[in-house]
C-alpha cells in the first residue's frame, strides 16, 4: 500500500483491512487476519533465506 492510500481514519483502515481479507479469501482461498500499519514501520529482514532439505524417511 502506498503512503498516498494510507489513512489515519480508523473506520477507513478497518474497511481496507476487510477488503484485503476478502480478496485473499476470494483469490487465494486463504483466510487471514489483515492488520494495516503505517508505511515503513515493518523492519526488513536481514540476512539470506536458508534452504531447508527434508531428510525424513516416508513410510509407505
Amino acid at each position: 500500500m502506498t503512503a498516498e492510500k494510507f489513512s489515519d481514519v480508523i473506520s477507513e483502515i478497518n474497511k481496507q483491512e476487510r477488503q484485503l481479507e476478502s480478496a485473499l479469501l476470494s483469490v487465494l482461498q486463504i483466510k487471514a487476519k489483515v492488520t494495516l500499519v503505517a508505511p515503513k514501520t515493518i523492519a526488513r529482514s536481514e540476512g539470506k533465506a536458508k534452504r531447508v532439505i527434508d531428510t525424513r524417511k516416508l513410510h509407505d
Side-chain angles (χ1 to χ4, degrees):
M1 178 171 277
T2 62
E4 298 83 39
K5 292 184 180 181
F6 190 77
S7 170
D8 61 352
V9 178
I10 298 297
S11 61
E12 185 61 29
I13 292 171
N14 289 338
K15 179 181 171 186
Q16 291 174 345
E17 289 174 342
R18 300 300 83 76
Q19 288 174 337
L20 288 168
E21 289 172 358
S22 178
L24 288 170
L25 185 58
S26 175
V27 174
L28 301 175
Q29 300 298 304
I30 296 173
K31 186 172 184 179
K33 171 75 173 107
V34 174
T35 303
L36 295 178
V37 297
K40 302 191 185 222
T41 58
I42 299 176
R44 291 181 59 95
S45 62
E46 298 293 328
K48 191 173 180 179
K50 294 187 176 27
R51 185 175 303 238
V52 176
I53 300 173
D54 186 356
T55 59
R56 296 177 291 180
K57 302 288 185 213
L58 300 178
H59 298 279
D60 290 334

